[in-house]
Amino acid sequence: MQTAGSRGKFVADRLMLTLIPAITETAVRHVLKPGSDGDDDNSLPADIAWEMVNGTLGLVAGGREFVQIADVLRGRKIAYTGPTGLTLLGDIARLAQQTRQGELDAVFWKAFLNTTGSMTKLPSVQTKRFLTGADALTEGDG
C-alpha cells in the first residue's frame, strides 16, 4: 500500500529525472546563446515547456520519432531520424520541413521522393539520381 510519503518520493524522483534536467539545460542554453545578452525571455518559457515534453516523450518507445515531426512544425531542424525500420517517419518530417518552407526546389522533390519511396517501396534513389543528372545537364554542369 502506498503512503503519502512514498507518492511524494515518486513524484520527486520523476521531477529530478525528467523535468529538472530539461529546465536547467534549456535555461543555460538560452543564456549562453551566441549574440544574446540573456534578456530575451520571450521564448524561454515556451522552450522550457517544449523540452520538458520532448524529454518525457523520449522515454517512451516510439515517442522520440514522433517528437521530430512536432519539431518541424515548430520550425526546428531535424536532429534525430530514428532507427532503420522507422525511416518513413524521418522522411515525413523532412517533407513537412520542406513543405513548410513553401519552395518547390530540388530539396523538396528529393524529400517527396524519399517519402513516396518509403511508403510504396519503389526505387526512389534511381529517380533522384535521374532528376539530379537531368538538372545538371540542363544547367550545363554535366
Side-chain angles (χ1 to χ4, degrees), residues 28-122:
V28 168
R29 190 179 328 122
H30 202 289
V31 169
L32 297 178
K33 187 185 323 180
S36 173
D37 56 2
D39 293 334
D40 184 26
D41 292 336
N42 296 337
S43 65
L44 182 61
D47 287 344
I48 288 175
W50 175 251
E51 288 301 325
M52 289 167 62
V53 170
N54 188 7
T56 304
L57 283 177
L59 300 174
V60 178
R64 193 178 302 152
E65 284 76 22
F66 289 104
V67 167
Q68 71 179 351
I69 295 172
D71 272 341
V72 169
L73 296 176
R74 287 191 72 221
R76 292 184 166 191
K77 292 185 177 181
I78 301 167
Y80 176 73
T81 58
T84 305
L86 296 174
T87 55
L88 177 61
L89 294 175
D91 291 341
I92 289 172
R94 279 189 288 283
L95 180 62
Q97 185 178 25
Q98 291 302 318
T99 303
R100 190 169 191 262
Q101 289 179 359
E103 298 178 13
L104 295 177
D105 54 355
V107 180
F108 168 81
W109 289 111
K110 287 181 182 181
F112 177 77
L113 287 171
N114 281 339
T115 305
T116 55
S118 293
M119 290 172 64
T120 62
K121 306 299 182 207
L122 291 174

Side-chain angles (χ1 to χ4, degrees), residues 130-142:
F130 172 76
L131 291 176
T132 303
D135 187 40
L137 286 175
T138 57
E139 292 182 9
D141 293 340

